[in-house]
Amino acid sequence: MRRLAKALATLLGIVVLGLVVFTIWAWRSAIAPIAPPVATSFDPALVAKGEKLADAGYCLTCHTPPKGKPYAGGLPMVTAFGTIYSTNITPDAATGIGNWSLEAFSRAMHEGVARDGSHLFPAFPYDHFTQVSDDDVKALYAFMMTRPAVAQAPPPNTVPFPLNVRLLQAGWKLLYFKEGRYQPVADRSAEWNRGAYLAEGLSHCGACHTPRGALGAEKQDAHLAGASIDGWFAPALTAANTAPVPWSAAELHDYLRNGGTAYHGVAAGPMSNVVHQGYARVDDADVNAVALYIASGNGSADRKADVGQIVGDALARSRYDASQAGDHGAALYMSACAACHYNPSSGPLLARPELGLKSSVSAPDPTNLVQVILHGVSVKDGLPGTMMPAFGTGLSDDDVAAIAVYLRKSRTTLPPWNDVAGVVARVRGGKTT
Ligand code: HEC
Ligand code: HEC
Ligand code: HEC
């Protein structure tokens, strides 16, 4: 008995000591508040540079809910651990970051720690922003501090106890977070390194395109391998991508810059913001650098020669033939879709996506295709100024499923999808997983 009591006491001692050590280690002190800096105290050239960087990091997308004031926060982000609201990052002193010094702002970007010393949730992609250079963080700070101040506090988060204890985020960081600026790769060109710097850091492509593990960290061994995000699927950006035409640097450039290409279709869903609140506005040299970096890792250079053949095959497959008579999906497609998605044999047109070339038809599951059929592509998404009507009210779940099944069967030689009707019901219900 005595021995057991002693062992238990020792164990308790170790646990308490562990907690004390953890708390000391995890503790971050507050950084003293400052009087909000005057907007004219910032060099306009630095502010302009910061604006481009803010675009490349889509700060607006996450920090502005639909119809909300720019950067005033309050966008709900639904995670497996509860809803987290983005914060107000305008220079309002009481509810925004008006009394944050550059030092406090840098610590948030690089270490995920707020001015008051509390740890931030990785819904804020500081695990990528840690790679952003000190100079670029300084420019971002100048841009944010010169936005109109908006007094508006975000709604309280719904993360349950004990996960809402911010100190515990330090444990997550210990397991998954590596602080540090981007380190250039020596045997790569300056342009490649610029692309990697942006894609891995500020533009956090992996936050959507890399699958996450049980505790929500990106799986390092599946970098950019494709992942579910907000009810969509962000396809693989590696050689595992299923789009028939390879994603060359030129195709990637046009897609990121314009929101679509004739050989790959349009950027819809969450990718639309990446384009229209991001890459449509950043300098062309940077769009090219990111395209070059992504293309260097996807094997597209080796497949260049096949493009003519692939496009020809896709156009041939999209022709209706008599063997499809009696197929409910084919009949629906002919009446509801074909008029807009028919291309001449000379080649596909940008504003008439050739569906057999789109990775949503060759993807492992029909989520993205179903999203577009049910909800359409609005004028502001995809290609600016063009739209695809939503069929969610006009077509039943069975009809939508029949069209998806028909497209998979006629446009690809891949095995049929499982449970298409289940995916339609899930997407219609707004469920994210
Ligand atoms: C993917 C969504 C997302 C993007 C993109 C994003 N943020 Fe945030 N950000 C958040 C969320 C969510 C929080 C709140 C985290 C928390 O409460 O722990 C946050 C918090 C912050 C904070 C801490 C503010 C505070 O009051 O504690 C700063 C500073 C910040 N973001 C700046 C930026 C900047 C600058 C950019 C663009 C370079 C950016 N964010 C892009 C989601 C995002
Ligand atoms: C907010 C989440 C998000 C971020 C950040 C993001 N993507 Fe995407 N991406 C998506 C989704 C979702 C799709 C599918 C869109 C569709 O089917 O229309 C997509 C599609 C794509 C495609 C088309 C793939 C295909 O085969 O059709 C490319 C290329 C792409 N993204 C590149 C990038 C790059 C490069 C970055 C970083 C600069 C990036 N994405 C950042 C969510 C994201
Ligand atoms: C009125 C013309 C029109 C009709 C009818 C139409 N579409 Fe579209 N569709 C478009 C346009 C235009 C786009 C590109 C939208 C954009 O970029 O804003 C598009 C985009 C798409 C996309 C996304 C393609 C991509 O590249 O990401 C899919 C998938 C799609 N349509 C499928 C269908 C299906 C299936 C039907 C029938 C149920 C249909 N469309 C009916 C015009 C149409």
Side-chain angles (χ1 to χ4, degrees):
M1 262 328 262
R2 259 253 196 81
R3 250 214 212 137
L4 183 65
K6 209 170 158 195
L8 280 177
T10 313
L11 188 67
L12 188 69
I14 292 173
V15 169
V16 170
L17 186 71
L19 281 174
V20 170
V21 170
F22 176 81
T23 307
I24 292 171
W25 171 80
W27 189 261
R28 295 289 181 281
S29 49
I31 293 176
I34 58 166
V38 193
T40 49
S41 65
F42 294 97
D43 174 4
L46 192 64
V47 175
K49 179 183 173 188
E51 179 169 18
K52 296 273 181 197
L53 294 166
D55 285 340
Y58 342 112
C59 318
L60 188 67
T61 305
C62 283
H63 283 277
T64 318
K67 302 202 174 79
K69 298 230 170 69
Y71 301 110
L75 180 81
M77 295 183 66
V78 182
T79 74
F81 313 102
T83 299
I84 295 171
Y85 292 88
S86 64
T87 49
N88 180 345
I89 54 169
T90 72
D92 181 60
T95 60
I97 59 168
N99 57 18
W100 289 39
S101 59
L102 172 61
E103 186 194 355
F105 182 81
S106 300
R107 186 173 69 170
M109 294 290 286
H110 286 152
E111 297 173 43
V113 177
R115 189 196 62 75
D116 66 4
S118 56
H119 290 276
L120 294 163
F121 293 112
F124 166 49
Y126 68 82
D127 51 337
H128 291 271
F129 293 165
T130 190
Q131 303 203 26
V132 178
S133 72
D134 293 351
D135 279 353
D136 283 355
V137 167
K138 203 171 156 193
L140 279 165
Y141 179 73
F143 175 68
M144 287 306 162
M145 289 316 220
T146 50
R147 296 311 90 205
V150 179
Q152 173 190 303
N157 295 335
T158 66
V159 181
F161 181 83
L163 295 174
N164 63 350
V165 177
R166 286 183 179 269
L167 198 68
L168 292 180
Q169 285 301 317
W172 189 91
K173 288 178 178 175
L174 183 64
L175 293 173
Y176 301 114
F177 173 57
K178 197 165 152 281
E179 203 224 315
R181 263 31 94 222
Y182 177 76
Q183 297 300 323
V185 177
D187 58 354
R188 294 287 195 164
S189 67
E191 189 183 14
W192 186 95
N193 273 297
R194 176 71 183 166
Y197 168 74
L198 287 169
E200 301 299 339
L202 204 50
S203 302
H204 57 278
C205 313
C208 295
H209 286 271
T210 300
R212 292 173 188 267
L215 289 176
E218 289 168 34
K219 292 183 180 160
Q220 295 308 318
D221 58 354
H223 187 54
L224 301 178
S228 293
I229 175 86
D230 293 344
W232 288 74
F233 185 77
L237 299 182
T238 61
N241 183 281
T242 62
V245 176
W247 279 105
S248 63
E251 282 288 299
L252 284 161
H253 167 277
D254 292 355
Y255 183 86
L256 290 170
R257 165 63 81 212
N258 307 323
T261 83
Y263 286 173
H264 280 106
V266 303
M271 191 61 198
S272 185
N273 290 333
V274 171
V275 173
H276 298 299
Q277 297 185 350
Y279 274 78
R281 302 199 291 232
V282 311
D283 290 339
D284 212 43
D286 283 344
V287 184
N288 272 321
V290 168
L292 175 85
Y293 167 67
I294 300 286
S296 75
N298 70 10
S300 57
D302 304 333
R303 296 178 53 216
K304 235 183 359 223
D306 310 338
V307 174
Q309 180 77 40
I310 293 167
V311 174
D313 286 354
L315 289 167
R317 268 202 288 273
S318 73
R319 250 164 248 136
Y320 182 81
D321 72 64
S323 71
Q324 291 164 359
D327 179 325
H328 179 52
L332 281 169
Y333 181 83
M334 290 313 289
S335 58
C337 324
C340 294
H341 286 282
Y342 173 83
N343 277 298
S345 53
S346 53
L349 303 174
L350 183 56
R352 261 190 235 170
E354 181 61 46
L355 300 182
L357 292 173
K358 178 69 189 168
S359 68
S360 51
V361 177
S362 52
D365 86 76
T367 302
N368 291 358
L369 179 59
V370 169
Q371 280 281 12
V372 171
I373 301 176
L374 285 176
H375 302 128
V377 182
S378 75
V379 180
K380 67 173 184 44
D381 291 339
L383 303 169
T386 58
M387 67 166 284
M388 139 103 189
F391 287 87
T393 46
L395 295 176
S396 69
D397 285 9
D398 285 347
D399 289 345
V400 173
I403 293 173
V405 168
Y406 158 74
L407 284 171
R408 177 77 165 185
K409 190 168 65 185
S410 59
R411 302 310 196 261
T412 77
T413 52
L414 296 161
W417 285 310
N418 292 323
D419 190 25
V420 180
V423 174
V424 180
R426 176 168 61 70
V427 171
R428 202 192 271 279
K431 302 230 170 56
T432 50
T433 43

